[in-house]
Amino acid sequence: MVSKEHLQMVATHLAAENEHRMEDTLATLHTACVFEDVPMQRIYNGREGAREYYAAWWHAFDLKVGGGTRHFTDEGLMIAETRYVGRQVGDFFGIPARQRPIELQLAVVIGFRDGLMNGERFYYDLLSLLRQIGASPDELQLDSRPE
């Protein structure tokens, strides 16, 4: 089951994430965490993988995460329905910044291990995101990294 401590860990994580405080965000994650961006078909392993994931999104977007609902499973998973709100401010996997606003609904599955978050699996509508920033799927360069 998800405990009060897990909920507090998620709150601490979201506060750090929304302020783009990398080290504080990573401190909420288990060293063996796994991040899976399902629409982009990318998996990031460990805290260094999480660092890469956050760096890519924070470089590309000035985002805040919030709102929505949370659901809990008997296996100790939390499923959050939430949204990203912000603006594209940097390159996003080869798509140059166009300063366009975004509002993206997503679902995130969060697991826990040893009192920390054990990763996140993200589900969102990639086509909607691309449409909002004025791009097409053909423009994505999944091998590119933020500067």
Side-chain angles (χ1 to χ4, degrees), residues 23-88:
E23 297 309 316
D24 292 339
T25 301
L26 296 176
T28 64
L29 304 174
H30 193 277
T31 57
C33 64
V34 176
F35 275 61
E36 184 176 358
D37 186 320
V38 175
M40 298 278 280
Q41 299 178 350
R42 296 178 65 95
I43 296 175
Y44 301 82
N45 293 298
R47 284 187 179 160
E48 285 310 305
R51 179 186 303 278
E52 180 182 346
Y53 183 79
Y54 286 117
W57 280 85
W58 294 353
H59 171 80
F61 299 100
D62 179 16
L63 291 175
K64 298 290 184 214
V65 181
T69 59
R70 296 177 178 163
H71 310 274
F72 306 97
T73 71
D74 292 338
E75 293 80 24
L77 297 173
M78 183 173 87
I79 302 163
E81 296 176 285
T82 190
R83 64 190 178 120
Y84 285 161
V85 176
R87 176 174 305 281
Q88 186 191 12

Side-chain angles (χ1 to χ4, degrees), residues 10-32:
V10 171
T12 299
H13 176 86
L14 283 176
E17 182 178 347
N18 278 333
E19 295 173 10
H20 295 190
R21 291 183 283 122
M22 183 67 78
E23 297 309 316
D24 292 339
T25 301
L26 296 176
T28 64
L29 304 174
H30 193 277
T31 57

Side-chain angles (χ1 to χ4, degrees), residues 120-147:
E120 299 180 72
R121 184 177 307 122
F122 300 91
Y123 297 91
Y124 58 91
D125 183 349
L126 179 58
L127 189 55
S128 172
L129 173 63
L130 294 174
R131 214 176 1 244
Q132 290 179 60
I133 63 174
S136 73
D138 295 337
E139 293 178 73
L140 282 173
Q141 298 170 11
L142 295 180
D143 289 334
S144 67
R145 302 284 190 257
E147 298 174 7

Side-chain angles (χ1 to χ4, degrees), residues 92-106:
F92 181 66
F93 294 99
I95 300 169
R98 296 177 176 148
Q99 301 299 319
R100 294 179 69 165
I102 67 159
E103 184 169 332
L104 184 66
Q105 293 183 319
L106 63 150

